[in-house]
Amino acid sequence: MSILNIDVYPALVLKRKTEKILNIDDHIRQLAEDMLETMYQAPGVGLAAPQIGHSISLVVADPGEKDKPSPLILINPEITAHEGQTGITEGCLSVPGYTAEVVRHQKIIVKAYTLDEKEVELTLEDFPAIVLQHELDHLHGILFIDRISRLKRNIYDRKLKKGTLDQS
Ligand code: NI
């Protein structure tokens, strides 16, 4: 396993819509394992393939309790249903030094494939639902800063340019 380099905004790969994975091979399995290790080490609760420079539909996440690791690896995930509204302050490993509140669905159903090519359907609410929506956005070239108000986004872009973002 190895720790991968995380691309940060405005890297172009983060803006690209990803390709579906047609073949779950050893390369994908290795990438998923490395992404999990990279995510835990960061530390983060989710990581999408574009963040480590691969424009493919793969995310890893662990939105559960800290002392109880329950890693999720999802291939070609899609939200098939949603309801309600919620929002918390979000950050992103690819947007260092900035956080903002984002409006999300409170409950979602996600269909995806696992590494052993099984189709799964997950029903998620609240924090895990928010994490998965954030990660699935990455697969469509969308960052959480694309979902905040124009005013907040302008302030962010100005701070980025001036190099005055909090370094965390
Ligand atoms: Ni992110």
Side-chain angles (χ1 to χ4, degrees), residues 82-90 100-108 124-134 147:
H82 61 79
E83 63 181 52
Q85 192 176 300
T86 186
I88 57 166
T89 300
E90 297 185 20
E101 188 161 327
V102 182
V103 177
R104 301 285 188 187
H105 307 302
Q106 186 269 329
K107 182 176 180 180
I108 56 170
L124 301 159
E125 290 185 72
D126 302 317
F127 186 68
I130 290 168
V131 170
L132 265 293
Q133 285 170 82
H134 177 118
R147 293 195 180 276

Side-chain angles (χ1 to χ4, degrees), residues 50-65:
Q51 296 182 270
I52 43 97
H54 287 71
S55 198
I56 56 173
S57 186
L58 169 64
V59 306
V60 301
D62 189 345
E65 296 153 59

Side-chain angles (χ1 to χ4, degrees), residues 51 92 134-135 138:
Q51 296 182 270
C92 179
H134 177 118
E135 297 314 324
H138 277 298

Side-chain angles (χ1 to χ4, degrees), residues 3-159:
I3 303 294
L4 305 167
N5 184 53
I6 297 175
D7 284 298
V8 297
Y9 176 78
L12 282 177
V13 67
L14 297 171
K15 296 301 295 173
R16 221 173 279 146
K17 194 176 175 345
T18 58
E19 300 289 330
K20 284 249 167 18
I21 292 170
L22 302 176
N23 199 5
I24 303 170
D25 56 15
D26 286 347
H27 167 70
I28 297 295
R29 272 182 268 274
Q30 185 63 54
L31 198 61
E33 290 302 321
D34 289 345
M35 282 171 63
L36 269 179
E37 198 185 7
T38 304
M39 178 192 82
Y40 284 125
Q41 198 252 356
V45 291
L47 191 67
Q51 296 182 270
I52 43 97
H54 287 71
S55 198
I56 56 173
S57 186
L58 169 64
V59 306
V60 301
D62 189 345
E65 296 153 59
K66 264 212 176 84
D67 49 346
K68 233 191 338 178
S70 44
L72 272 177
I73 296 170
L74 299 177
I75 291 155
N76 300 341
E78 275 176 38
I79 294 172
T80 57
H82 61 79
E83 63 181 52
Q85 192 176 300
T86 186
I88 57 166
T89 300
E90 297 185 20
C92 179
L93 296 173
S94 294
V95 186
Y98 186 74
T99 57
E101 188 161 327
V102 182
V103 177
R104 301 285 188 187
H105 307 302
Q106 186 269 329
K107 182 176 180 180
I108 56 170
I109 296 175
V110 176
K111 264 193 185 164
Y113 286 90
T114 60
L115 277 187
D116 46 7
E117 299 187 17
K118 285 199 185 93
E119 199 174 11
V120 288
E121 192 177 80
L122 308 171
T123 301
L124 301 159
E125 290 185 72
D126 302 317
F127 186 68
I130 290 168
V131 170
L132 265 293
Q133 285 170 82
H134 177 118
E135 297 314 324
L136 267 65
D137 266 358
H138 277 298
L139 302 180
H140 295 94
I142 298 167
L143 299 171
F144 82 95
I145 49 173
D146 297 322
R147 293 195 180 276
I148 59 178
S149 71
R150 178 68 61 89
L151 177 71
K152 279 188 183 164
R153 178 58 182 264
N154 285 344
I155 293 169
Y156 170 76
D157 283 331
R158 234 175 294 138
K159 280 184 170 175

